[in-house]
Amino acid sequence: MGQLTLAAAGSAILLYPAAQASAQEGTPERAQEAVADSPASAEAAPAPLQYEVKVNAPGDLDELLEKNLDLERFRGNPRMDREQLRRLVRDTPEQAKNLVATAGYYTPTVTVRVDTTGAKPVVIVDVDPGQPVTVDKVELELRGFDPTPPLAASEPYDTEALKRNWALKTGSVFRQAEWESAKRALLREVVQTRYPRAQLVDTQAVVDPETHKVSLLVVLDSGPELRFGELRIEGLKRYDESIIRNLDKIRPGEYYSESALQSLQARLQDTGYFASVEVSADMSSILNEQIEAGQESQAAEAEGGAVTKPVNRGPAPLLPLVVRVTENKQQNVSAGLGFSTNTGNRAQLNYDNLNVWGTRFKSALTMETKKQAAHANFYFPTTERGYNDSAGASFERSDISNEITAVSTISVKRNWGGTNLERSLTFEFLSEDKTVVGLEQTRSKSLPLTYAITKRDLDSLLFPTKGYVINAQVGGALLPVLTDERFVRVAGKMVFYRPIGEKGELILRGEMGALGSKEKRGVPAVYLFRAGGDQSVRGYGYQELGVKEGDATVGGRYMLTGSAEYQYWFKPKWAIAAFYDAGNSADTVKAAMTPKSGYGLGGRYKSPVGPINVDVAYGHAVHKFRLHFSLGFTF
């Protein structure tokens, strides 16, 4: 029995012919006669031949054919004439069969006819796909995966997991795109680990149209097991190598891992020292070994000797870890303008210097309608144990809900951990002047210590659709040193994302806080709690929900807020949202748990710098509508 082989790079699809024809014989000729006998063929038309195409096929096959048939691609072509149309009609059955085969149908019946009764010819393509081909047998042959001899005690590679993770399971419909995707996924899973030289030696998909079954064969060779070697740094001019070495968590002798390379590259990019970072493993030693082995084989063959496989010379050499960097400009000045429905118009001026006494210096002056701030911070290079230390000073003045505060702060901070689990310890001294409209001015100072932890499990940091973020803080000023009122404070935030269907998304958000002190007077306002605004309870002004004192709203001892939002992405970058927010802040638990609610509708847009959110919310307690605008999500 003959066979048809459709070959791609390193793979083949073998198709045994079925007993029945896959297209009606004579159909192209009848189509040609219809075109030739039509009145339009009596004389040559000076203008391009115009025609329509109608595809009748079930499911998504009509869309597949309409996008890929030459009949559609060349429709409207200025060089189209009757002869060209005849050729396209003649070739359509075979082309349609090849197209539906990619969707798993190998015994289709295709008929093509031309209707010339209208003003323009209509080419009608009827497709009966027949029974789909399903996967009958999957044979995964995994070669190699043996530890290098001196490392025989190494943990064996889990080849059974590779087989379990194979995407194209027995019984599933065989589609060309899924077949290619499954092969790529298998190879990717291996080369990203300790076998980066793995390759697919052979792949075959043998289709029997008579039984509508396909047998799959995939042969993968792992190649040598590779491990990392010593770190090599290129491109440093102004900065010490310790900036890079202290961030390198990869130790010589560890298994090769692409994720480890990507993680190191991300950490180096986040430092701000470098304009570009490239982290890779130097494969030249492996390539040189292969070249030498090939030259030896060629020499033996030229001398008439037997050609044998290269002798195993022992363990593969360790791969040097190479970090290539381009340093950023040492100094940078930038300015910007903005607007927030929370704090109003904004103008900002930044000055950064990457090498001040061996530290990164960052400063900013921010002028907003309701807030004005200046800060300067020194960031020390990451230590060998992974600590990121900083020290700085700031001044901030705010006028919110008739409470005017001016706070001067000196602080030191230690931050450690990664993106998924981040921790910090902050020790600061605050001096605050506070004026409440209608009451006398007060002054307070405090020396608090705060521990914070943030846990992230998100599918994307920029546009999360699944997962959660949790932040918790505990701290206070417990010693009667530079402190007017001792206090203990706890606070927590949570955001939860869950997909709903293909285009929907549910977002749940909550925040709570509590302050314990003998007197509230003397505790800096920044350690009290207020609610309301873009990232809190929408429908109310920024920090509008709190405790009434005179003509102002001030912070309370307790706070509890919650939000539920549904987003529907009717286009890849555009969504509409419906939400309900509730919460309050007060000096008693009972009052804080008596919520003020807000609800409304909004729009979402995925911009290059993060989601843009525009909401119109109704504050039920104030009986007013309020517009809210925000960029990204703050946590």
Side-chain angles (χ1 to χ4, degrees):
M1 178 180 290
Q3 66 182 25
L4 173 65
T5 303
L6 305 178
S11 65
I13 299 178
L14 309 181
L15 175 60
Y16 296 109
Q20 64 181 28
S22 61
Q24 293 183 1
E25 295 183 356
T27 297
E29 288 73 16
R30 288 198 300 270
Q32 293 177 51
E33 294 171 2
V35 175
D37 295 338
S38 66
S41 64
E43 56 182 357
L49 180 62
Q50 301 294 325
Y51 64 92
E52 300 292 337
V53 178
K54 182 179 180 181
V55 177
N56 299 317
D60 297 332
L61 294 179
D62 55 350
E63 183 178 355
L64 171 68
L65 294 169
E66 288 170 358
K67 287 183 177 179
N68 296 281
L69 282 176
D70 287 344
L71 276 170
E72 279 286 0
R73 290 173 53 211
F74 291 105
R75 191 160 62 89
N77 189 294
R79 300 179 61 182
M80 179 58 62
D81 55 23
R82 290 187 300 276
E83 184 59 34
Q84 293 288 347
L85 180 59
R86 291 192 190 99
R87 182 184 63 79
L88 293 177
V89 170
R90 184 173 61 249
D91 296 342
T92 294
E94 189 65 26
Q95 188 182 20
K97 286 190 293 181
N98 291 333
L99 287 171
V100 298
T102 65
Y105 299 92
Y106 284 82
T107 57
T109 300
V110 181
T111 61
V112 183
R113 52 195 171 88
V114 180
D115 183 357
T116 59
T117 58
K120 289 190 293 187
V122 179
V123 183
I124 302 172
V125 182
D126 295 310
V127 178
D128 180 3
Q131 183 178 340
V133 169
T134 57
V135 177
D136 179 54
K137 180 182 178 182
V138 179
E139 183 179 355
L140 298 181
E141 184 179 336
L142 304 176
R143 300 175 182 174
F145 295 98
D146 297 323
T148 307
L151 305 172
S154 301
E155 180 182 351
Y157 193 93
D158 191 356
T159 55
E160 292 302 317
L162 286 178
K163 296 178 180 180
R164 289 194 302 269
N165 294 338
W166 173 255
L168 203 53
K169 304 292 186 181
T170 301
S172 58
V173 176
F174 176 75
R175 297 181 177 87
Q176 182 70 24
E178 295 177 6
W179 165 236
E180 298 296 333
S181 176
K183 291 186 292 183
R184 287 194 299 269
L186 176 68
L187 183 60
R188 187 185 307 113
E189 188 172 351
V190 176
V191 299
Q192 289 180 343
T193 60
R194 63 204 206 208
Y195 297 101
R197 304 292 294 175
Q199 56 183 324
L200 295 174
V201 178
D202 187 23
T203 64
Q204 290 186 7
V206 182
V207 179
D208 187 348
E210 293 184 353
T211 60
H212 300 282
K213 300 294 183 181
V214 59
S215 297
L216 305 180
L217 169 66
V218 178
V219 181
L220 185 146
D221 190 293
S222 69
E225 178 191 70
L226 300 180
R227 301 193 177 212
F228 288 116
E230 296 294 333
L231 175 64
R232 191 167 71 222
I233 301 172
E234 300 176 3
L236 279 181
K237 296 178 181 178
R238 291 190 300 267
Y239 310 123
D240 191 83
E241 286 191 355
S242 63
I243 293 175
I244 294 176
R245 293 189 179 277
N246 290 347
L247 289 171
D248 178 23
K249 307 301 181 184
I250 302 173
R251 296 294 174 258
E254 290 183 357
Y255 287 127
Y256 173 90
S257 168
E258 190 170 310
S259 63
L261 296 176
Q262 294 172 347
S263 179
L264 175 57
Q265 181 165 308
R267 289 195 297 272
L268 293 174
Q269 288 173 331
D270 289 342
T271 63
Y273 283 108
F274 309 113
S276 66
V277 179
E278 179 188 350
V279 179
S280 62
D282 186 359
M283 296 284 186
S284 60
S285 56
I286 301 298
L287 295 175
N288 291 336
E289 185 177 272
Q290 291 177 341
I291 291 172
E292 291 175 4
Q295 291 173 343
E296 291 177 5
S297 297
Q298 291 176 1
E301 185 177 8
E303 295 173 2
V307 179
T308 60
K309 294 183 178 180
V311 178
N312 186 352
R313 301 174 178 173
L318 297 179
L319 299 176
L321 179 62
V322 182
V323 176
R324 297 182 178 91
V325 297
T326 302
E327 295 178 344
N328 259 328
K329 294 184 299 182
Q330 181 175 335
Q331 301 184 70
N332 182 61
V333 178
S334 62
L337 299 175
F339 172 78
S340 166
T341 50
N342 273 346
T343 54
N345 300 313
R346 180 176 66 253
Q348 185 166 316
L349 179 65
N350 304 301
Y351 170 71
D352 300 339
N353 191 316
L354 297 178
N355 195 9
V356 176
W357 304 315
T359 69
R360 282 190 301 134
F361 175 74
K362 297 176 69 68
S363 63
L365 176 65
T366 305
M367 305 297 291
E368 297 176 288
T369 304
K370 297 182 179 180
K371 280 186 177 183
Q372 301 82 45
H375 74 258
N377 291 286
F378 296 89
Y379 296 88
F380 295 85
T382 304
T383 67
E384 291 186 13
R385 299 182 63 181
Y387 294 123
N388 296 286
D389 298 327
S390 62
S394 66
F395 174 82
E396 180 178 296
R397 181 188 182 278
S398 64
D399 185 353
I400 299 172
S401 297
N402 289 332
E403 181 188 50
I404 303 171
T405 60
V407 184
S408 299
T409 306
I410 299 175
S411 64
V412 292
K413 183 176 182 180
R414 166 160 286 185
N415 186 287
W416 68 97
T419 302
N420 294 333
L421 183 61
E422 183 180 356
R423 287 155 289 181
S424 68
L425 193 64
T426 305
F427 185 57
E428 54 191 342
F429 170 72
L430 295 90
S431 177
E432 177 186 85
D433 289 324
K434 181 171 68 175
T435 301
V436 176
V437 175
L439 300 177
E440 66 180 30
Q441 181 178 359
T442 60
R443 175 171 293 178
S444 60
K445 58 183 181 295
S446 187
L447 193 68
L449 178 67
T450 302
Y451 173 78
I453 182 171
T454 301
K455 170 66 176 176
R456 298 180 180 90
D457 185 5
L458 299 171
D459 58 346
S460 170
L461 292 178
L462 190 59
F463 299 107
T465 61
K466 183 179 180 180
Y468 64 87
V469 184
I470 299 175
N471 171 266
Q473 300 178 19
V474 59
L478 302 178
L479 301 176
V481 178
L482 298 176
T483 299
D484 292 332
E485 181 64 35
R486 288 178 289 177
F487 66 91
V488 175
R489 181 181 186 270
V490 294
K493 300 178 183 179
M494 178 277 296
V495 182
F496 175 76
Y497 300 87
R498 180 178 179 179
I500 303 294
E502 293 184 359
K503 298 183 178 181
E505 180 182 347
L506 176 66
I507 302 175
L508 302 177
R509 177 167 44 84
E511 187 173 2
M512 60 78 63
L515 176 83
S517 66
K518 185 176 181 181
E519 299 288 342
K520 193 172 78 170
R521 183 185 177 92
V523 177
V526 69
Y527 286 105
L528 300 175
F529 300 99
R530 292 202 283 190
D534 302 340
Q535 303 290 338
S536 183
V537 183
R538 286 163 288 190
Y540 301 87
Y542 178 57
Q543 297 188 355
E544 181 182 359
L545 301 178
V547 178
K548 294 295 181 180
E549 285 189 9
D551 296 328
T553 300
V554 302
R557 290 177 175 270
Y558 306 98
M559 179 189 64
L560 183 64
T561 69
S563 172
E565 178 173 318
Y566 174 76
Q567 298 179 355
Y568 180 77
W569 294 89
F570 59 92
K571 288 188 176 181
K573 290 189 176 183
W574 293 91
I576 56 174
F579 57 87
Y580 181 87
D581 300 345
N584 205 355
S585 174
D587 280 339
T588 64
V589 175
K590 182 178 180 181
M593 296 183 67
T594 304
K596 305 291 180 65
S597 62
Y599 40 85
L601 300 174
R604 305 288 180 263
Y605 173 69
K606 291 182 179 179
S607 76
V609 294
I612 294 177
N613 312 300
V614 179
D615 296 315
V616 177
Y618 179 75
H620 188 266
V622 294
H623 305 291
K624 291 181 180 179
F625 286 95
R626 182 177 288 271
L627 177 68
H628 295 274
F629 172 84
S630 62
L631 174 63
F633 70 95
T634 303
F635 201 82

